[in-house]
Amino acid sequence: MNMLKTLCAGVVLAALGYGGYATLTRRADPPEPAGAGDWGNAPQVEMPTVASSEPPAVSLPDAAAADAPAPHYLAPSTTTPPSAVDPATDALASAARAAIDPSAAAPAAESSAATTMPIATLTAEGIEPAAPEAPDVHTEFMTAWNDAQGLLARHELAEALLRLSEWSTDTRLSPADRTQLFDLLDQLAGTVVYSREHLLSPAYVVQPGDSLERIADRFGVTWQLLGKINGIAEGQPIRAGDSLKVLQGPFDALVTLNDCELTLFIHGRYAGRFRVGIGQDQSTPEAELVVQNKVTNPTYYGPNQVIGPEDPNNPLGGRWIDLGNKLGIHGTSDPSSIGKAESRGCIRMGQQDIVEVYDILSIGSRVTIVR
């Protein structure tokens, strides 16, 4: 029962943390938030249940012992019910008998898939079991999923996020598995990264003479992000002795051109994803780049015209993240181009999304662009 209570506590924390992260992952372009304090006011959500194609979560019995296994999600079985005799053991025994007395070999079963699979190989040294078949992608994913459920049951949310993050870029996953994965990843990122829970780094105690900008520089993140996470509005002072949530940055970004997505990571942990627009005719290069500069309200210098920052027709929107060689991540005056290959090579984001990513990526953040 204690294990069940622990799991429930993890669920509540994930639900509370999702409020901060929900703002980061909106697909629409609503008006900018009124203030940093609004991040914590999103409605609570529940941890996702297993997809409808999966069996239900296993529940603990009423008289559960303290060492009983925690509830977890199980991958559907792809094997037939076990018989009284283990097929592999029986096949190995038959092979051994055949090696000694060929007439003792058992006749092959008709239309049996098991008999077509190499179960054992007879060599000069004896009988060697055949190497097992490689598990399919869904089985591998469900192994990681079950591992993460065990970590959640022990309230190891940061480790659960790390365990599942490696699957966030795996293009082999089925749509159902991807939906299940990102439902949980988004909530875990909301709690681990963007809530005020100190799950990645110890709390930082403000020292005399500190400012939010100095603290952010020390940890390799932006002061805007620290302000949002800690509910500190722009210009609001901090006081010595205050306790702040900090993150050891920098964040990195992966742009997947084929999916028109930008995914954020912090030291290997998933931290959100966004839809983007990319260059037409494959003009956005595959590259390993670094954020070199950031500009708010940039002026557009085009081949035929210059458009000021206040002009609604400015194709850069309100933010420019400079990746060098005239390539950057920016907003757009044409929201319909998001998810399409219509730019001249740069990476476009929606109005609200570029504000969020601008406040997360810092100078020195790595941006990897792949197909």
Side-chain angles (χ1 to χ4, degrees):
M1 187 61 67
N2 290 334
M3 294 292 289
L4 188 57
K5 290 181 179 178
T6 303
L7 179 59
C8 291
V11 171
V12 173
L13 284 175
L16 293 175
Y18 183 67
Y21 184 66
T23 303
L24 295 178
T25 56
R26 286 195 299 266
R27 290 288 179 261
D29 290 326
E32 296 187 16
D38 294 339
W39 276 36
N41 295 331
Q44 295 185 355
V45 295
E46 297 180 352
M47 298 290 276
T49 57
V50 77
S52 58
S53 60
E54 306 292 346
V58 176
S59 301
L60 288 175
D62 293 336
D67 57 350
H72 61 289
Y73 299 127
L74 297 177
S77 174
T78 57
T79 60
T80 56
S83 60
V85 179
D86 185 287
T89 303
D90 188 54
L92 287 174
S94 298
R97 289 193 297 270
I100 299 171
D101 180 5
S103 64
E110 296 182 2
S111 303
S112 173
T115 59
T116 65
M117 296 174 59
I119 298 178
T121 303
L122 182 62
T123 67
E125 289 76 22
I127 299 172
E128 294 182 357
E133 285 192 338
D136 60 39
V137 174
H138 175 74
T139 301
E140 291 179 356
F141 168 64
M142 290 309 299
T143 297
W145 180 267
N146 292 337
D147 289 347
Q149 297 304 312
L151 292 168
L152 289 174
R154 298 190 295 273
H155 196 62
E156 298 177 20
L157 275 66
E159 292 306 311
L161 176 60
L162 184 62
R163 179 71 176 94
L164 291 176
S165 292
E166 63 190 77
W167 288 91
S168 64
T169 58
D170 198 313
T171 58
R172 301 172 301 163
L173 286 178
S174 68
D177 283 345
R178 280 180 60 85
T179 298
Q180 179 174 321
L181 172 67
F182 283 107
D183 280 349
L184 183 52
L185 278 179
D186 285 339
Q187 294 183 63
L188 281 173
T191 300
V192 173
V193 181
Y194 301 108
S195 79
R196 297 188 193 180
E197 294 292 324
H198 306 286
L199 299 176
L200 290 178
S201 301
Y204 178 80
V205 178
V206 177
Q207 303 298 309
D210 269 344
S211 66
L212 203 58
E213 290 84 351
R214 291 177 181 174
I215 297 172
D217 286 343
R218 192 176 308 161
F219 285 91
V221 294
T222 69
W223 65 266
Q224 293 95 333
L225 178 62
L226 289 188
K228 287 182 175 180
I229 289 176
N230 290 281
I232 302 172
E234 183 175 358
Q236 178 181 342
I238 57 176
R239 299 172 297 180
D242 286 350
S243 179
L244 301 179
K245 174 170 180 174
V246 293
L247 299 167
Q248 183 61 61
F251 284 73
D252 298 318
L254 173 68
V255 178
T256 309
L257 299 176
N258 289 340
D259 296 328
C260 286
E261 282 189 351
L262 181 150
T263 306
L264 295 174
F265 295 91
I266 179 168
H267 298 291
R269 289 180 171 87
Y270 170 89
R273 59 182 179 142
F274 304 82
R275 293 288 287 167
V276 299
I278 61 174
Q280 57 186 341
D281 300 323
Q282 298 189 349
S283 55
T284 304
E286 295 183 74
E288 296 271 352
L289 305 169
V290 174
V291 174
Q292 300 184 7
N293 193 20
K294 297 167 61 179
V295 180
T296 302
N297 296 323
T299 297
Y300 172 73
Y301 296 93
N304 302 316
Q305 59 180 333
V306 175
I307 303 178
E310 304 301 328
D311 193 319
N313 295 317
N314 187 323
L316 301 182
R319 301 289 189 276
W320 168 263
I321 301 175
D322 187 7
L323 302 178
N325 198 28
K326 299 183 179 179
L327 186 66
I329 305 171
H330 61 79
T332 180
S333 58
D334 181 13
S336 66
S337 66
I338 302 303
K340 302 176 183 177
E342 295 184 354
S343 79
R344 298 177 59 192
C346 288
I347 299 161
R348 298 177 176 181
M349 301 191 72
Q351 177 184 348
Q352 184 60 37
D353 288 350
I354 186 59
V355 171
E356 304 298 354
V357 171
Y358 185 94
D359 288 351
I360 292 172
L361 295 180
S362 55
I363 294 176
S365 288
R366 294 174 299 173
V367 177
T368 304
I369 306 174
V370 299
R371 287 286 167 199

